[in-house]
């Protein structure tokens, strides 16, 4: 009620602040003009989980918001989803990486990961149309994180649902337009499924919804321009479709995940060599590493043909990867993992679980697998991604 009393209280508070924080200025006030500042230099590099819903809502969340659990659990709530807007895509990328957004119209857009809205686990996200200049009816079908577009000999390889693959020089995508770039010429009824970055000597593995997989050398697909549709990667039977593609690693294993929460890990096996290919030509066989061994094969680490993916030529029907029974459901995705990695899984209703890859036993091809996530009734697994060891904070 008395202004003088109010001013006295303010004066007393200020004097208290002066008494507690009376140290000298530590910064320098200068009239010198600063040069150009790269925004990336001001952003702390950390690993983010990027999720996109069916209706086009996007967000990023620090990966440490999802603590590691044991396999077979129900996971944590990962997004405030509605029944009509389930989570459709899940990606793990650094804040300093470029995230390439590939759409159903065969175009590509990119944004820095730190430009995406950072929100909590329970948030629904922001409309992606506010970030990207998408056309009417254009939807995101896949994403790929890239740090450097100018790596010699590196290519962007794309796989479509109908089994086509297309390889284009990575540098062809380094100058994006606001309206997007043509990434691939999609044929009617086809869709882009997965995108990977390859280098000379790499081998690719394509997997289908019915549980088939084929492994072939990236050199089997010739480089093509951006506005092309690609060549045949795997021969599909009936209404089967490709669900994923990875670069094979002889020191890693292939995790195959099914819609009903089951999956398994199987070793890739060694890459084919020039000597093996020459021997195959001399023997008159189309298989670069020759006929599949039935018993133990010392050259392949003692593995039998049922415990790894032998290299073939692209365009074949491939090998049986996992049994897609009524218990398992169809294959929804594949991922390359090492024992020290962690796996992040997301369901249609927004549940997210993070588990150590070592929790999943290594078993052979053409098997049923084990439960990797316990799903609620009418919920399904929609995505599975790898969290490398340098990004999991040492939590195993």
């Amino acid at each position: 009620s008395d202004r003088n009393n109010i001013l006295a209280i303010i004066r007393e508070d200020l004097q208290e602040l002066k008494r507690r924080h009376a140290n000298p200025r530590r910064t320098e006030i200068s009239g010198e003009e600063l040069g150009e500042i790269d925004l990336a230099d001001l952003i702390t590099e950390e690993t983010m989980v990027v999720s996109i819903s069916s209706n086009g809502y996007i967000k990023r969340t620090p990966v440490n918001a999802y603590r590691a659990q044991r396999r077979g659990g129900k996971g944590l709530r990962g997004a405030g989803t509605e029944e009509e807007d389930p989570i459709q895509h899940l990606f793990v990328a650094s804040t300093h990486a470029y995230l390439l957004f590939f759409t159903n119209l065969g175009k590509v857009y990119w944004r820095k990961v730190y430009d995406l809205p950072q929100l909590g686990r329970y948030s629904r996200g922001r409309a992606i149309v506010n970030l990207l200049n998408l056309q009417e009816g254009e939807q995101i079908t896949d994403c790929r994180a890239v740090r450097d577009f100018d790596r010699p000999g590196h290519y962007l390889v794309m796989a479509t649902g109908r089994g086509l693959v297309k390889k284009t020089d990575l540098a062809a995508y380094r100058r994006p337009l606001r309206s997007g770039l043509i990434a691939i010429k999609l044929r009617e009824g086809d869709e882009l499924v997965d995108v990977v970055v390859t280098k000379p000597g790499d081998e690719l593995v394509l997997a289908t919804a019915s549980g088939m997989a084929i492994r072939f050398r990236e050199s089997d697909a010739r480089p093509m321009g951006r506005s092309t549709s690609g060549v045949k990667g795997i021969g599909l039977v009936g209404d089967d479709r490709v669900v994923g593609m990875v670069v094979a690693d002889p020191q890693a294993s292939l995790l195959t995940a099914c819609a009903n929460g089951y999956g398994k890990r199987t070793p890739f096996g060694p890459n084919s060599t020039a000597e093996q290919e020459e021997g195959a030509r001399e023997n008159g066989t189309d298989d670069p590493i020759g006929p599949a061994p039935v018993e133990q094969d010392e050259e392949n680490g003692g593995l039998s043909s049922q415990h790894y993916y032998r290299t073939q030529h692209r365009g074949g029907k491939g090998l049986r990867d996992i049994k897609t029974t009524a218990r398992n459901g169809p294959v929804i995705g594949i991922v390359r993992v090492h024992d020290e990695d962690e796996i992040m899984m997301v369901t249609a209703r927004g549940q997210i679980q993070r588990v150590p890859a070592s929790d999943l036993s290594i078993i052979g091809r053409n098997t049923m697998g084990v439960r990797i996530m316990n799903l609620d009734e009418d919920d399904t697994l929609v995505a599975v991604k790898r969290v490398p060891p340098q990004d999991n904070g040492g939590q195993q």
Side-chain angles (χ1 to χ4, degrees):
S1 62
D2 190 317
R3 185 172 182 275
N4 290 331
N5 287 341
I6 296 176
L7 293 176
I9 294 173
I10 295 175
R11 185 182 299 108
E12 183 180 349
D13 288 343
L14 292 175
Q15 289 174 344
E16 175 65 15
L17 287 174
K18 181 180 179 180
R19 183 185 64 80
R20 295 173 57 185
H21 306 287
N23 52 309
R25 174 181 291 277
R26 298 180 181 179
T27 57
E28 178 184 354
I29 298 177
S30 172
E32 183 179 349
E33 183 177 353
L34 293 177
E36 292 186 3
I37 298 177
D38 188 350
L39 182 59
D41 295 336
L42 306 178
I43 304 295
T44 302
E45 183 165 4
E46 58 181 321
T47 301
M48 293 286 172
V49 177
V50 180
S51 61
I52 304 176
S53 72
S54 296
N55 288 347
Y57 286 85
I58 187 172
K59 68 171 183 175
R60 63 181 172 99
T61 306
V63 71
N64 56 19
Y66 306 97
R67 67 179 184 275
Q69 299 174 294
R70 309 304 295 180
R71 75 166 177 87
K74 287 191 172 183
L76 302 170
R77 184 68 181 219
T81 61
E82 302 173 358
E83 286 191 15
E84 63 274 14
D85 188 24
I87 294 294
Q88 190 172 36
H89 301 293
L90 183 74
F91 311 99
V92 179
S94 166
T95 48
H96 285 199
Y98 296 96
L99 200 57
L100 304 184
F101 296 89
F102 297 87
T103 74
N104 58 333
L105 300 184
K107 298 178 70 175
V108 59
Y109 304 80
W110 63 249
R111 294 292 295 266
K112 280 280 195 176
V113 173
Y114 62 66
D115 285 335
L116 304 178
Q118 181 173 340
L119 301 169
R121 287 197 293 115
Y122 299 100
S123 173
R124 182 185 184 188
R126 303 277 174 79
I128 200 169
V129 293
N130 296 330
L131 301 173
L132 305 177
N133 191 24
L134 300 178
Q135 301 177 26
E136 185 176 354
E138 192 172 12
Q139 297 179 341
I140 303 298
T141 58
D142 192 31
C143 289
R144 180 59 49 190
V146 176
R147 294 294 295 263
D148 182 9
F149 289 91
D150 297 318
R151 289 177 286 177
H154 284 67
Y155 294 90
L156 209 59
V157 180
M158 306 173 202
T160 74
R162 289 192 171 181
L164 299 179
V165 293
K166 196 199 79 160
K167 183 172 75 172
T168 304
D169 195 326
L170 181 61
Y173 300 92
R174 68 188 303 272
R175 297 185 183 276
L177 301 176
R178 180 174 176 80
S179 57
L181 288 175
I182 295 175
I184 184 173
K185 185 178 180 181
L186 293 173
R187 300 178 183 180
E188 185 177 356
D190 205 355
E191 62 178 345
L192 185 64
V193 170
D194 215 339
V195 183
V196 298
V197 177
T198 66
K199 63 183 183 300
D202 281 344
E203 296 189 349
L204 300 170
V205 176
L206 291 174
T208 76
S210 67
M212 301 298 292
I214 188 170
R215 176 177 179 175
F216 59 90
R217 300 183 307 276
E218 63 89 28
S219 58
D220 279 1
R222 67 184 186 277
M224 310 175 76
R226 288 190 293 104
S227 186
T228 53
S229 58
V231 294
K232 188 176 183 180
I234 186 172
L236 303 177
V237 178
D239 59 353
D240 197 9
R241 60 182 295 274
V242 172
V243 296
M245 174 176 61
V246 298
V247 177
D249 182 349
Q251 307 302 319
S253 57
L254 181 71
L255 169 65
T256 306
C258 296
N260 294 342
Y262 289 86
K264 68 174 183 69
R265 283 199 300 154
T266 302
F268 281 105
N271 284 353
S272 62
T273 64
E275 291 78 8
Q276 290 171 325
E277 184 177 357
E278 181 63 28
R281 282 197 293 265
E282 292 178 357
N283 294 329
T285 175
D286 288 335
D287 192 333
I289 64 171
V294 176
E295 301 299 334
Q296 297 289 314
D297 186 345
E298 296 299 330
E299 292 184 358
N300 293 321
L303 298 174
S304 74
S305 62
Q306 293 296 319
H307 286 81
Y308 70 94
Y309 303 87
R310 58 188 173 91
T311 306
Q312 301 173 284
H313 283 301
R314 68 167 179 82
K317 293 182 179 179
L319 307 169
R320 172 63 63 181
D321 176 27
I322 192 172
K323 295 180 179 179
T324 52
T325 61
R327 185 201 78 163
N328 284 2
V331 177
I332 58 94
I334 58 174
V335 64
R336 181 186 69 188
V337 296
H338 294 81
D339 284 345
E340 61 270 22
D341 293 333
E342 292 183 345
I343 306 302
M344 188 161 286
M345 299 170 286
V346 63
T347 75
R349 292 189 174 180
Q351 292 292 114
I352 292 181
Q353 185 177 16
R354 177 179 170 182
V355 301
S358 56
D359 274 10
L360 279 68
S361 301
I362 293 181
I363 55 180
R365 296 187 297 101
N366 200 16
T367 52
M368 296 279 288
V370 298
R371 181 178 290 280
I372 59 176
M373 187 171 185
N374 190 18
L375 304 179
D376 291 331
E377 188 176 355
D378 297 329
D379 201 3
T380 58
L381 197 61
V382 296
V384 56
K385 297 295 176 180
R386 165 181 174 259
V387 181
Q390 63 266 30
D391 298 330
N392 62 31
Q395 301 176 26
Q396 295 295 331

